[in-house]
Amino acid sequence: MENWRKSSYSGEGDGNECVEIANSPTLVAVRDSKTPARATLTFPPEAFAPFLEGLKRDQ
């Protein structure tokens, strides 16, 4: 995937708690910006919003 961008919730400074997202017409991908070569989570676009809502509930 290309066009990785930091989450708007990553905060200021050195971005120690940062995730990046990238999207295409068929997938939304999420990765840890500190280790971008490691595992990437991918979702169909229609599943990404429910994934985020689940994270918000667990906080």
Side-chain angles (χ1 to χ4, degrees):
M1 300 215 61
E2 294 185 28
N3 301 338
W4 289 97
R5 60 194 183 280
K6 286 186 179 183
S7 166
S8 61
Y9 292 97
S10 295
E12 300 294 324
D14 57 8
N16 286 337
E17 296 184 23
C18 182
V19 296
E20 297 176 323
I21 63 168
N23 59 317
S24 74
T26 58
L27 289 175
V28 177
V30 180
R31 70 182 181 185
D32 183 341
S33 66
K34 295 181 304 276
T35 55
R38 295 186 81 185
T40 300
L41 298 174
T42 57
F43 302 88
E46 63 275 6
F48 189 63
F51 169 74
L52 292 178
E53 290 302 318
L55 292 175
K56 290 176 188 177
R57 280 193 303 269
D58 289 344
Q59 287 185 350

